[in-house]
Amino acid sequence: MVRRDVGILHPGDMGASVAAHAVAGGAEVWWLPAGRSGATRRRAGEIGLRAAAGLEELAESCEIVLSVCPPAAALDVAEEVARAGYRGVYVDANAVSPERMARIAEVLARGGATVVDGGITGPPPREAGTSRLYLSGDAPAVARVSGLFAGTALAPFPLDGPIGRASALKLSFASYNKITYALAAQACALADGHGVLDELIDLAAGALPHTPLAAPERLAGAGGKAWRWEPEMAEIARACAQVGLPTGFAEAAAETFARWEAHKDDAAVTGARLIADLRPAKPHAGPGTR
């Protein structure tokens, strides 16, 4: 088996799962431990990632670099990699708008890197059939990245056409999939505010049985991820504006997710708590209040 050196920036929950499949496919995967949390270091150790002394070493060693980070950081990460002199294949697999993807590609292309637009759909890939990696851009580079994940739980789906197509598809799917959670939470909070939450859940159980509106406990999974979903909504709004669509849906969802940021990576948060977080605290009755 020919060894392929790949860099991952940075192995959070999603990035670590992506890196694990690259390792399983025979790649030597490098990462940057400096400044990372203990949880990130544990993930990297469990997967078998190779520590780089700095970004320059990672850039010199890797033929492919995968960027899997919060969308708000995607351009900054790309600029750092460009400054390190990277000239290989750079895969931006973040939830960014086609417009921002084009800026990322421009930054890296100036230094001689080949950029591939990536869009991951589904949860962190741990079993087959749940997650996809859509890829667009330079066809030979797309083929190399597809080969890296062929036969893994992160199924590669090459798209014909230029950079921006994979990002557009990713955000189009996320605009429905994630805003649905915000809409269900808003409906539940509205019903709760008027004392009819139980009745709403009963109604939805018959009319919309497979939705978070029918079972608000399904909202819980959004709580720990809301800190990442909020900037993703900003990217969706930007993508909508680019084609003349209303941006209000995504902006309102971003406001909803902002109210859940305190639950970052909290696996114990409940749907009931998330619903309560959307309503302002009731004022305490003071002296003389009737």
Side-chain angles (χ1 to χ4, degrees):
M1 182 181 293
V2 177
R3 197 188 84 178
R4 293 164 291 178
D5 284 50
V6 174
I8 182 72
L9 304 171
H10 295 278
D13 191 23
M14 177 64 80
S17 293
V18 171
H21 289 295
V23 171
E28 178 88 24
V29 181
W30 297 65
W31 77 296
L32 299 173
R36 299 298 155 184
S37 68
T40 301
R41 289 172 179 270
R42 284 192 297 274
R43 278 192 293 260
E46 291 167 358
I47 298 165
L49 304 189
R50 180 172 178 175
L55 187 54
E56 290 75 14
E57 182 182 17
L58 185 145
E60 290 174 3
S61 303
C62 298
E63 64 178 63
I64 297 173
V65 168
L66 304 163
S67 173
V68 185
C69 65
L75 181 57
D76 289 341
V77 170
E79 289 173 342
E80 290 174 3
V81 173
R83 286 195 294 270
Y86 184 64
R87 301 178 64 84
V89 174
Y90 184 90
V91 185
D92 187 287
N94 304 304
V96 297
S97 69
E99 179 186 28
R100 191 179 294 273
M101 187 66 231
R103 291 177 62 193
I104 289 169
E106 181 182 0
V107 163
L108 284 149
R110 287 195 217 111
T114 301
V115 178
V116 170
D117 178 15
I120 301 172
T121 62
R126 296 188 176 97
E127 58 184 54
T130 62
S131 308
R132 296 183 176 189
L133 173 60
Y134 287 94
L135 301 163
S136 67
D138 179 81
V142 165
R144 289 173 66 187
V145 179
S146 294
L148 184 64
F149 295 103
T152 74
L154 182 59
F157 278 76
L159 300 174
D160 291 334
I163 283 171
R165 296 198 76 220
S167 288
L169 179 58
K170 157 70 178 178
L171 293 190
S172 298
F173 182 72
S175 70
Y176 176 83
N177 187 43
K178 293 174 182 175
I179 292 176
T180 295
Y181 282 86
L183 185 59
Q186 175 81 5
C188 288
L190 173 62
D192 190 37
H194 290 279
V196 291
L197 179 57
D198 290 343
E199 290 79 4
L200 174 65
I201 294 171
D202 179 69
L203 169 61
L208 301 166
H210 302 298
T211 68
L213 188 64
E217 64 270 17
R218 295 175 186 162
L219 293 171
K225 296 178 281 193
W227 69 277
R228 288 191 286 107
W229 289 8
E230 181 192 358
E232 190 169 334
M233 294 302 110
E235 294 298 320
I236 290 171
R238 185 175 288 108
C240 287
Q242 192 175 352
V243 291
L245 292 175
T247 60
F249 289 113
E251 291 165 348
E255 182 181 352
T256 295
F257 296 142
R259 298 197 184 192
W260 296 343
E261 285 185 341
H263 305 298
K264 179 180 178 180
D265 299 330
D266 182 4
V269 68
T270 65
R273 174 61 191 272
L274 298 180
I275 292 168
D277 283 348
L278 295 188
R279 298 185 58 207
K282 294 180 181 178
H284 294 291
T289 301
R290 293 176 18 172

